[in-house]
Every structure is written in C-alpha cells, then in structure tokens.
Amino acid sequence: MLYYSTNNKQLKSGLKEAVINGLAADKGLFMPEEIPVLPPSFFEKLPDLTLGEIGFECLKPYFCPEIPEADFKLLTADAFNFDAPVVPVSENIASLELFHGPTLAFKDFGARFLARVMARFTVGYGQDINVLVATSGDTGSAVANGFLGVDGVNVFVLYPKGLVSDVQEKQFTTLGQNITAIEVDGTFDDCQRLVKTAFMDEHLKDKITLTSANSINLARFLPQMVYYFYAYGQAIKQGKQNISVCVPSGNFGNLTAGLIAQKMGLPIKRFIAATNINDIVPKYLASGHYQPAPSIATPANAMDVGDPSNFVRIQELFKHDLTSLQTVISGCSVSNELIFSTINTVFHSYAYILDPHGAVAYHALKTALSKEEYGIFLATAHPAKFPETVEEIISQKVEQPERLKAFLNGEKCVKNSSNVYEELKQVVLSKAL
Ligand SMILES: *Cc1c(COP(=O)(O)O)cnc(C)c1O
C-alpha cells in the first residue's frame, strides 16, 4: 500500500517512510491510497474473533506484506492483548470501555501498535530511533508505556512542570529503561515548541534519528479501527441492530478510524461527533464554516483542541463534500455543566461511573439517539484517572485499578530542562548518543 499526502495526491510514500516520518514532505497528512472492503466471510465470523485477530484482518491490507503476515499476526495479538468490553449502561445505550490497557485510556491501542511497528523498522536500521513527544497528560503516558522496553527506540517525553495531574505524571516518570521524562520549566506550548524546534534542527538530525508519535502518525490512528469492529461483533452477539456510535473527539483521530472501518464494510449506521465546548467541528457540520479557535480548558482536557489535526483526513474520506459528510456524522458540543450533571445522573440512575470524556459522549449520544437505534459511546478513559472531578460529583471514591496503584507507588525519575532549546538539546543528546 502507498500513502498519499492530503496536500498533494501525487506525492506518495511507502509504509516505512510514512511511519518513520509521520508527516509527508509537504507537511500534509498521510492517507492510504485505497480502502479495501472486507469480505462477507470476515463479517460472518466477526462476533467470534478476538481483538488481536480482528486487528490482523482489518489492518493487514495496510501493513502487509511490508510486515510479513506471520509476524504481523503476532504483532497484533501482542499489541491488543487487553479487552474492550461493550457494557450496557441504560435502556438503549452501551459503553465501549477502551480503558483496560496499561495506562487506562484508549490511546494505549494506537501507541502500543505504533511502538511495535516502529520497532520492526529499526531492525537493521543501524541506529536507534528517538521519539520526541510533548504531552499535557495522556499522550505521554500511552506513548511511553507503548514503547517501554522496545529495543532500538529511545523515548523522550516533555511535559510542563507542575501542570499535569499527579496520576498522569506518575504514568510516564516512573518507568526508566528506554523512557526519559523531561520536566520542562514552562507551559505545554513551550514543550510543543521545543519538540518542533528539534524537528527542524538539522544539526541534531545529523547526529540522531528523530521521529514523533503523535496522532497524525498513520500507525497510531489506523489501529484504532479494531475496537469498532470488535464492539459491533459484541453488539450483534447481544442481539442488537441499527447501531450508531458516538465518539468523544479532540484531534479527531479516533473518529477517522471509525469512518475507515465503516468504509471497509462495517455496518455502523451513523456517527455522532461529540466535543466539549471546543466546538469547531459541530459548528462546521451545522454551518459549513470551519473556523479554528484557540483551545479552551475544560474538565475533558484531552479534547481541548481548537484546530483538530485529523479533520482534514475526514474531509478526504468524504471528498470535501459537506452534504455527504452530514449524512454520516452529526455533531454535538457539550458544556462543562452538562459534563458534571451527566456524571451525576448516570451514576445515580444506572450506577455507572463515567469519566469527563465519556460523559461528553454519553450526553451527546442520548440527545441524538432515536428509538429505533442502539447507541454505543466510546469510554476513552477510566474515571480513576480524573479523581478530582469525578469523586466530588458522585461523593465517593473511585476504586483504583491495581495497575494504576502500581504507577502511583513508583518512584519519579526525571531530567530537568528550562524552556530554552539548547538546554533541551543537550539533555536529549546526552541520552541518545
Ligand atoms: C485523546 C483523547 C480523546 C480525543 O481523541 P481524538 O482522537 O484526539 O479525537 C478523547 N478522550 C480521551 C480520554 C483522550 O485521551
């Protein structure tokens, strides 16, 4: 499979180049040249397949034969080695729980897969690959844990000192091995600027191989397809039909993956794109005007995005035609007050604990759903990752899963850097060389 740039259909790259570079040479995003439809035999056996088996079948067209099939089978089984159950919450609504991975958020799917694909590409590369990532919380932990112990890859996680939650910080500062956490005296924007500067620093790039692991990388968003198929298989087993899916969205990588699954033949009726008050996409779907804006902080902070980077991929899938987009996706923006009241109502009515991101999705789905539909929303993070918000609303403790406790008991180990680039560069070089 070749991958074209969203800026220029004629500019194509092979898999390895697309994964290692992340972005196309003209700064466009990579899209697969074609999206094959899976055969009826796949859908017949779907309800009985594991996540790993589904991953193998639906991702094979994109990653094989560049990765030999036998190896790819092992890779998908290993990357998707935790469950994603569909849990009924209320009458015609179920939660697709995507937080049973190592860092209790759905980003584990993409990060674990990306790490394993990249590790393959480092074999015979003759040099370590250095992943540089800036995080305001969740991305850093999923990427660091995805790459933990992967030979030939060093990971540097830059985060703003004092500005990530304790739970989040522990998930990437206690790992050691090939993971270096760098506590930056500055803001998240400083961290992003430092990473961007590093990618433009030819002197640094002469010395070491640099790559990024953010959600524009095709090997991070494509694997998110697996759980749409898996959820559908479970819903069919539970006797449901007419299935619509609600995706709590920030950079829109997750929704893009769902739309590609649909194009590959998955009979999802429609999607609801749920956002917090950063409502660029819902506004666009309603008015046809795409107006990026500075992001606004909300309790669903992993979705605080004012100019969603993957939205152009969705535009590509619909050939930039607003009307056809509107037939498949509807938008809904959810206020902070509604996030709080939804967590409260769902807990007291159905004894189900939502995290703030899941609450956005639940509310949007409930609002949009008709009587004939069965709705599944993506629960993208475990509520124990947001104890400050959730516990105050439900007036009780959220039980911490064992793997979260293990992080919290770990010892924090970080390198420090100011927000001056030269200092950051020395920290990276001292570890990478
Ligand atoms: C990253 C994230 C999202 C947003 O996903 P996108 O693919 O960027 O739309 C939603 N919920 C949680 C918990 C996240 O970490």
Side-chain angles (χ1 to χ4, degrees), residues 215-345:
S215 72
I216 55 167
N217 198 306
L218 69 93
R220 238 192 86 183
F221 89 89
L222 282 175
Q224 293 172 2
M225 255 193 303
V226 299
Y227 45 73
Y228 290 90
F229 287 99
Y230 187 62
Y232 184 83
Q234 290 179 73
I236 292 299
K237 260 195 192 163
Q238 296 168 11
K240 310 297 182 195
Q241 47 194 340
N242 241 340
I243 292 156
S244 298
V245 175
C246 182
V247 185
S249 296
N251 269 319
F252 282 79
N254 211 356
L255 180 58
T256 308
L259 291 164
I260 292 185
Q262 190 191 40
K263 275 209 184 302
M264 293 180 79
L266 186 66
I268 290 175
K269 191 164 167 253
R270 65 183 182 115
F271 290 91
I272 296 118
T275 67
N276 55 32
I277 51 177
N278 294 281
D279 59 354
I280 316 311
V281 172
K283 272 204 179 125
Y284 169 74
L285 288 166
S287 71
H289 294 293
Y290 188 84
Q291 191 63 260
S295 67
I296 307 165
T298 78
N301 60 7
M303 292 157 53
D304 295 348
V305 179
D307 189 5
S309 48
N310 282 295
F311 194 63
V312 58
R313 285 192 160 121
I314 295 180
Q315 295 279 41
E316 276 296 307
L317 290 173
F318 290 88
K319 304 197 163 51
H320 299 262
D321 178 40
L322 177 63
T323 315
S324 57
L325 195 62
Q326 286 166 328
T327 60
V328 180
I329 310 171
S330 62
C332 178
S333 145
V334 179
S335 69
N336 294 350
E337 292 69 32
L338 277 168
I339 293 175
F340 299 141
S341 65
T342 301
I343 293 174
N344 188 36
T345 310

Side-chain angles (χ1 to χ4, degrees), residues 90-386:
S90 56
E91 202 184 330
N92 56 347
I93 294 185
S95 167
L96 170 58
E97 295 186 346
L98 299 176
F99 49 70
H100 296 280
T103 73
L104 301 93
F106 85 100
K107 287 192 173 72
D108 284 329
F109 285 89
R112 286 176 64 81
F113 181 84
L114 171 65
R116 282 156 183 75
V117 169
M118 245 182 216
R120 280 203 63 92
F121 292 158
T122 63
V123 176
Y125 197 72
Q127 213 186 35
D128 279 3
I129 290 185
N130 296 280
V131 174
L132 226 58
V133 61
T135 188
S136 56
D138 268 0
T139 302
S141 51
V143 169
N145 283 274
F147 280 94
L148 182 64
V150 171
D151 269 349
V153 184
N154 299 314
V155 176
F156 298 90
V157 179
L158 280 68
Y159 73 103
K161 183 176 183 172
L163 296 179
V164 304
S165 78
D166 189 38
V167 173
Q168 287 174 326
E169 185 179 29
K170 284 280 169 112
Q171 289 185 313
F172 55 81
T173 58
T174 58
L175 298 169
Q177 299 185 51
N178 58 330
I179 312 299
T180 306
I182 305 178
E183 187 173 50
V184 174
D185 222 336
T187 62
F188 173 59
D189 289 340
D190 287 325
C191 297
Q192 273 192 310
R193 176 179 51 78
L194 291 171
V195 169
K196 278 192 187 142
T197 310
F199 283 116
M200 290 183 309
D201 180 351
E202 296 302 330
H203 175 253
L204 182 66
K205 288 198 291 187
D206 276 348
K207 290 190 178 276
I208 61 175
T209 303
L210 273 188
T211 187
S212 89
N214 60 21
S215 72
I216 55 167
N217 198 306
L218 69 93
R220 238 192 86 183
F221 89 89
L222 282 175
Q224 293 172 2
M225 255 193 303
V226 299
Y227 45 73
Y228 290 90
F229 287 99
Y230 187 62
Y232 184 83
Q234 290 179 73
I236 292 299
K237 260 195 192 163
Q238 296 168 11
K240 310 297 182 195
Q241 47 194 340
N242 241 340
I243 292 156
S244 298
V245 175
C246 182
V247 185
S249 296
N251 269 319
F252 282 79
N254 211 356
L255 180 58
T256 308
L259 291 164
I260 292 185
Q262 190 191 40
K263 275 209 184 302
M264 293 180 79
L266 186 66
I268 290 175
K269 191 164 167 253
R270 65 183 182 115
F271 290 91
I272 296 118
T275 67
N276 55 32
I277 51 177
N278 294 281
D279 59 354
I280 316 311
V281 172
K283 272 204 179 125
Y284 169 74
L285 288 166
S287 71
H289 294 293
Y290 188 84
Q291 191 63 260
S295 67
I296 307 165
T298 78
N301 60 7
M303 292 157 53
D304 295 348
V305 179
D307 189 5
S309 48
N310 282 295
F311 194 63
V312 58
R313 285 192 160 121
I314 295 180
Q315 295 279 41
E316 276 296 307
L317 290 173
F318 290 88
K319 304 197 163 51
H320 299 262
D321 178 40
L322 177 63
T323 315
S324 57
L325 195 62
Q326 286 166 328
T327 60
V328 180
I329 310 171
S330 62
C332 178
S333 145
V334 179
S335 69
N336 294 350
E337 292 69 32
L338 277 168
I339 293 175
F340 299 141
S341 65
T342 301
I343 293 174
N344 188 36
T345 310
V346 170
F347 176 66
H348 289 290
S349 306
Y350 310 112
Y352 189 82
I353 306 178
L354 292 165
D355 97 292
H357 306 80
V360 168
Y362 182 91
H363 176 80
L365 181 59
K366 177 132 188 93
T367 310
L369 212 59
S370 72
K371 281 210 167 54
E372 295 74 43
E373 294 174 279
Y374 190 72
I376 297 176
F377 69 94
L378 274 48
T380 46
H382 194 290
K385 289 191 89 169
F386 304 90

